[in-house]
Amino acid sequence: MTLGSQIGKGNLRPDMTAEEKTWFEAELKEQILRYETIVKQMEDLAAQREEWVSDFLHRVQTRGFHWHAEFRRVIPKEEIRPRDGRPLQVIY
């Protein structure tokens, strides 16, 4: 069962016409191409992203951050989880 109520039996989705299948396949190819482009762009930014994270960690360990209004907190190095060597995972 793919669509409909929980008590329905079988596949309630109607069969696609030839024209709909053609459109679906073309659309799928375009989406895969867009996805691959985004993945490549994100991988190209990996080195710069590591630098951004390093700069951020340095900033919160030296200047700290405002946690409320004028209250600032500096994060000690012991409170920051060490990197485990894996690349940063970017969700997009």
Side-chain angles (χ1 to χ4, degrees), residues 6-20:
Q6 295 297 317
I7 58 174
K9 302 262 190 262
N11 186 0
L12 301 177
R13 182 175 288 139
D15 291 333
M16 287 194 278
T17 64
E19 182 182 338
E20 290 171 337

Side-chain angles (χ1 to χ4, degrees), residues 9-75:
K9 302 262 190 262
N11 186 0
L12 301 177
R13 182 175 288 139
D15 291 333
M16 287 194 278
T17 64
E19 182 182 338
E20 290 171 337
K21 285 181 184 178
T22 304
W23 175 86
F24 178 80
E25 290 169 2
E27 194 68 22
L28 182 61
K29 286 179 186 176
E30 288 177 18
Q31 288 185 18
I32 290 172
L33 182 61
R34 283 192 296 264
Y35 173 78
E36 289 171 350
T37 302
I38 292 170
V39 168
K40 181 174 180 342
Q41 291 171 345
M42 296 309 268
E43 288 174 355
D44 291 345
L45 279 175
Q48 190 174 7
R49 189 178 307 108
E50 291 289 342
E51 187 176 321
W52 292 336
V53 170
S54 174
D55 291 345
F56 170 76
L57 292 175
H58 176 72
R59 196 166 44 250
V60 296
Q61 291 174 25
T62 55
R63 289 187 358 211
F65 72 100
H66 290 282
W67 60 274
H68 179 73
E70 75 273 0
F71 299 115
R72 185 181 285 253
R73 180 172 187 268
V74 174
I75 309 288

